[in-house]
Amino acid sequence: MTGPMNNIQHLIPEFERWKERYPAGFEGSLTIPCLRRIQEERGYIADSDIDELVAYLGVPRTQVDEVLGFYTMFTRTPLGHHHLQVCHNVSCSLRGADGLLKYLCGRLGIQPGETTPDGKFTVSTAECLASCGTAPMMMVNEAYHENLTPAAVDALLEELTK
Amino acid sequence: MNFPPTEQSHSLHDYRARGGYQALEKALKELQPADVTKEVLAAGLLGHGGAAFPAGRKWGVIKPNDGEDHFVCMNADEGEPGTFKDRWILEYTPHLCLEGLILASYAIGGRHAFIYIRGEFDLPFRRIQAAVDEAYEAGLLGKNILGTAYSLDVVVYRGAGSYVCGEASAMLASLEGRKGWPRNRPPRLTVKGLYQKPTVVNNVETLANVPVILNLGAVEFKKTGTPKSPGTQMISISGHIARPGVYEVEYGYSWEKFLYEDCGGMQGGKALKCIIPGGVSTKILNAQEIKGVTLDHNSAVAAGSQLGSGGMIAVAEGTCMVRLARVIQRFYHHESCGQCTPCREGMGWMERILDRIVRGEGRPEDIDRLYRISNANDGTTICSLGDSAGYACTAILDHYREEFEYYILNGRSMFD
Ligand SMILES: NC(=O)C1=CN([C@@H]2O[C@H](COP(=O)(O)OP(=O)(O)OC[C@H]3O[C@@H](n4cnc5c(N)ncnc54)[C@H](O)[C@@H]3O)[C@@H](O)[C@H]2O)C=CC1
Ligand SMILES: Cc1cc2nc3c(=O)[nH]c(=O)nc-3n(C[C@H](O)[C@H](O)[C@H](O)COP(=O)(O)O)c2cc1C
Ligand code: SF4
Ligand code: FES
């Protein structure tokens, strides 16, 4: 289907089911879960998604804009197919995160924050992801990869480019 | 948490086999809400999110039968660098904290409760969501729990990437679907919290202790730990340690024994340089300063720091503290919500100073400047992110000033 107001309509039955466990009057609370769900499908949030969500939840548009700007997990533009986020906080850096990040960027030929020209990989840095005991680590889309070494990075990249 | 984590230890079946939900059954059928609070208060349960505020006192502020809505919100935002114990509970025994959440909600007369879990967590989220679903199916959640008059709905709410949302008031703003800005108190959250209703926010581990207390009774519970810190503390240890991981220790346990015996000492047999005791928000202590110190709140405070969230990071000799300070400052600058001027501007300024020192372009006046900026944050910000960030840096300066001076003078680290 195409058209301006039907990007998120198919998700509304699911959103309606969520409401059952919230107290009445908590519609605004659904802003973050709905945005997460929309982004899960498309990979980013488009302008038309915001229009539709504002219409559905009845929240002010500024609230949605604020939320999108505040939380690091929301993106307004598409990222690479695989988003590699390397933690560079204290425990990970004590166990070699900086070297690992350099190695990864070297292999892909990009800098943190960039996407490979084929759109396959985006590399970013992340703050502590509560995986400090198995440092260094990175997140690949939703999944944690822990106790990383250059060899493990090689194996992972090979797996992901298959 | 005395059980072996297995492939199935997170399931309702296994949790029940460990005695799970007996405390809930007993409370709903035999105890009044106020009795539950009384027991938790008598047990002296302290908050495990970092500030060690007595849970029973927090709950006691709320009148369960005043006809208002009340909420309990489980804080599963675990973002403090070095801390990964809540993740362990969520992955291996999610029903334990869920049972605690139901008990806390019963105690304060709550009809709805929330589990706020950090947005990046995937497996912990799936485990706690599955536990909630199982509980609904088994009649442990929803209408008329276990055939009693008590009803409760629980929502697992996923954050979207923000450290400051672990701060209780920021968390509630986020749960209302807004950006996570902390707010000034009073009014306390127990007076005006989520949607202006009285709300209790408790850490995952705090709630996980509640079924234990009700099963054992306060008197028995207090037999472990110290008189002022009863019970146990989960410690997640990382950094240059031989055996990193999550441990549970009785409060009052010897710190050195923990490090050198239980955790196997330092990686590669190196010497310990210093330790971050309870997440990067707590002040570092060097190897001398932890001699004879025990793992409980009073002892850690007497030694000049705090046990915080139990996120311990061991740092070996030969580590450059200037670079470590820069990593910490970069983190705080990244996470400041930007609401208070001293925090927003100060964090960025401190990061820029440390950055230029690390690049070899430091200036002699930079050390005093770092102290001055940190002092400007002290007590002038809405939440304690600003304060802690300053202390974290100045505690490193207090201990290792000569490393900063050397770096500034020579344009390189003492350890290169
Ligand atoms: N676990 C983690 O990932 C992190 C933990 N932290 C820890 O958080 C701590 C600071 O937390 P804050 O919430 O700022 O501390 P706080 O001292 O403001 O509050 C502690 C708790 O006690 C409650 N409380 C205090 N007085 C009360 C009263 N009279 N009546 C009812 N309730 C009352 C507060 O609402 C809050 O829930 C630090 O010590 C730090 O270690 C910081 C960052 C992350
Ligand atoms: C910046 C900041 C982040 C925090 N993050 C967390 C967190 O991730 N988890 C947590 O339990 N407490 C966190 N806290 C502490 C909470 O504000 C609150 O004190 C705690 O959840 C209360 O639970 P407790 O009494 O059971 O410890 C944070 C505090 C601050 C200032
Ligand atoms: S101290 Fe920093 S993080 Fe906390 S409210 Fe102020 S600006 Fe935000
Ligand atoms: S420091 Fe990297 S996961 Fe905690």
Side-chain angles (χ1 to χ4, degrees):
Chain A
M1 279 207 290
T2 52
M5 288 300 275
N6 52 15
N7 271 341
I8 72 165
Q9 302 307 312
H10 66 290
L11 295 173
I12 285 177
E14 191 177 339
F15 298 164
E16 287 295 309
R17 277 199 304 280
W18 293 349
K19 279 189 190 168
E20 289 163 19
R21 286 185 187 173
Y22 285 84
F26 270 49
E27 285 70 23
S29 292
L30 287 170
T31 308
I32 294 172
C34 289
L35 287 170
R36 280 191 65 121
R37 185 71 185 85
I38 295 166
Q39 182 167 306
E40 196 177 282
E41 282 215 330
R42 162 117 46 58
Y44 68 99
I45 305 288
D47 289 343
S48 56
D49 297 330
I50 303 177
D51 297 335
E52 288 183 53
L53 195 61
V54 164
Y56 169 60
L57 291 176
V59 295
R61 196 187 163 95
T62 51
Q63 181 176 336
V64 179
D65 286 337
E66 250 176 37
V67 161
L68 289 172
F70 186 80
Y71 297 93
T72 58
M73 290 173 73
F74 291 125
T75 173
R76 299 296 317 277
T77 49
L79 298 174
H81 189 56
H82 302 290
H83 188 195
L84 313 179
Q85 303 189 63
V86 180
C87 170
H88 65 166
N89 210 297
V90 176
S91 306
C92 285
S93 47
L94 290 175
R95 291 218 174 210
D98 289 352
L100 190 86
L101 180 64
K102 266 206 196 100
Y103 182 78
L104 177 67
C105 288
R107 281 279 328 247
L108 295 172
I110 52 173
Q111 292 299 311
E114 294 177 353
T115 302
T116 51
D118 62 2
K120 271 215 166 105
F121 296 100
T122 300
V123 174
S124 325
T125 52
E127 297 302 347
C128 181
L129 292 162
S131 193
C132 331
T134 41
M137 66 83 67
M138 68 174 163
M139 221 174 137
V140 180
N141 296 342
E142 293 83 40
Y144 278 23
H145 293 258
E146 304 170 78
N147 291 313
L148 289 175
T149 57
V153 169
D154 288 343
L156 183 73
L157 289 181
E158 192 175 325
E159 177 71 32
L160 296 178
T161 29
K162 251 194 234 157
Chain B
M1 322 282 153
N2 200 5
F3 69 95
T6 64
E7 285 287 295
Q8 283 304 318
S9 54
H10 57 275
S11 69
L12 178 59
H13 176 269
D14 276 37
Y15 182 59
R16 278 215 153 117
R18 296 197 294 274
Y21 290 108
Q22 284 173 8
L24 181 66
E25 179 137 27
K26 182 175 123 191
L28 294 185
K29 293 185 175 162
E30 296 167 24
L31 302 177
Q32 289 302 312
D35 300 333
V36 177
T37 302
K38 225 184 272 165
E39 200 67 21
V40 169
L41 188 64
L45 174 63
L46 299 175
H48 284 269
F53 189 81
R57 259 178 66 199
K58 203 188 295 190
W59 302 5
V61 177
I62 296 180
K63 307 212 167 30
N65 302 315
D66 63 1
E68 266 203 78
D69 278 343
H70 312 130
F71 304 113
V72 182
C73 181
M74 184 195 296
N75 189 342
D77 197 52
E78 192 158 63
E80 178 73 357
T83 313
F84 47 100
K85 61 175 179 84
D86 296 337
R87 177 182 165 199
W88 193 96
I89 298 175
L90 295 164
E91 286 183 9
Y92 294 114
T93 183
H95 281 286
L96 182 63
C97 56
L98 180 59
E99 186 179 2
L101 178 65
I102 306 172
L103 285 164
S105 301
Y106 178 66
I108 65 150
R111 176 65 184 75
H112 292 87
F114 297 87
I115 298 170
Y116 187 99
I117 185 164
R118 68 176 293 177
E120 297 89 346
F121 272 163
D122 179 42
L123 182 62
F125 161 70
R126 284 186 278 123
R127 289 272 163 90
I128 191 72
Q129 182 67 61
V132 167
D133 295 343
E134 277 183 312
Y136 267 101
E137 242 167 69
L140 296 159
L141 280 177
K143 289 219 170 76
N144 302 111
I145 296 176
L146 294 169
T148 66
Y150 186 61
S151 303
L152 178 71
D153 280 304
V154 170
V155 170
V156 184
Y157 196 90
R158 301 180 83 180
S162 159
Y163 165 72
V164 77
C165 283
E167 196 276 343
S169 66
M171 167 166 300
L172 300 185
S174 183
L175 248 172
E176 290 176 5
R178 300 185 286 117
K179 64 184 171 191
W181 272 17
R183 73 154 167 82
N184 269 316
R185 273 143 289 180
R188 298 220 157 269
L189 303 179
T190 42
V191 178
K192 280 191 191 315
L194 189 61
Y195 289 97
Q196 305 297 313
K197 303 293 182 195
T199 304
V200 160
V201 175
N202 270 135
N203 175 259
V204 171
E205 186 187 353
T206 313
L207 292 170
N209 271 282
V210 174
V212 178
I213 290 170
L214 289 190
N215 283 326
L216 289 176
V219 174
E220 197 59 31
F221 181 81
K222 288 193 89 164
K223 287 187 183 158
T224 46
T226 69
K228 288 199 169 148
S229 305
T232 65
Q233 160 102 11
M234 291 182 78
I235 293 187
S236 46
I237 182 161
S238 62
H240 297 139
I241 193 84
R243 287 198 290 272
V246 179
Y247 296 76
E248 184 179 17
V249 301
E250 188 172 336
Y251 279 120
Y253 195 76
S254 155
W255 202 333
E256 289 167 286
K257 189 163 186 285
F258 174 67
L259 282 181
Y260 298 112
E261 293 177 26
D262 299 274
C263 302
M266 302 298 283
Q267 195 187 16
K270 287 198 182 156
L272 174 70
K273 178 171 186 170
C274 62
I275 196 147
I276 299 175
V280 298
S281 303
T282 56
K283 296 181 187 173
I284 59 159
L285 295 173
N286 64 27
Q288 282 304 314
E289 288 166 317
I290 64 161
K291 284 216 156 77
V293 179
T294 52
L295 294 167
D296 54 89
H297 294 291
N298 291 68
S299 193
V301 169
S305 187
Q306 281 169 304
L307 229 40
S309 56
M312 212 179 264
I313 307 176
V315 180
E317 269 317 337
T319 306
C320 173
M321 297 306 287
V322 182
R323 292 204 191 103
L324 192 129
R326 174 176 164 271
V327 169
I328 294 180
Q329 217 54 50
R330 177 183 65 201
F331 165 71
Y332 282 121
H333 179 213
H334 183 256
E335 300 299 341
S336 167
C337 83
Q339 208 180 164
C340 321
T341 313
C343 173
R344 180 185 65 237
E345 302 301 325
M347 294 306 106
W349 196 2
M350 287 173 87
E351 190 200 352
R352 284 194 301 278
I353 291 175
L354 287 164
D355 251 347
R356 80 171 168 244
I357 300 179
V358 167
R359 277 201 315 270
E361 295 161 15
R363 304 169 197 164
E365 65 274 20
D366 280 344
I367 295 181
D368 287 337
R369 207 173 265 150
L370 286 171
Y371 275 109
R372 263 212 318 281
I373 305 169
S374 165
N375 288 342
N377 259 328
D378 202 357
T380 58
T381 55
I382 295 175
C383 87
S384 65
L385 185 147
D387 295 24
S388 328
Y391 301 145
C393 180
T394 53
I396 296 177
L397 272 169
D398 290 345
H399 283 83
Y400 300 103
R401 190 181 177 112
E402 70 286 358
E403 288 188 30
F404 289 78
E405 288 168 347
Y406 183 98
Y407 214 134
I408 291 171
L409 192 66
N410 298 288
R412 65 179 170 84
S413 166
M414 223 181 225
F415 300 94
D416 285 345

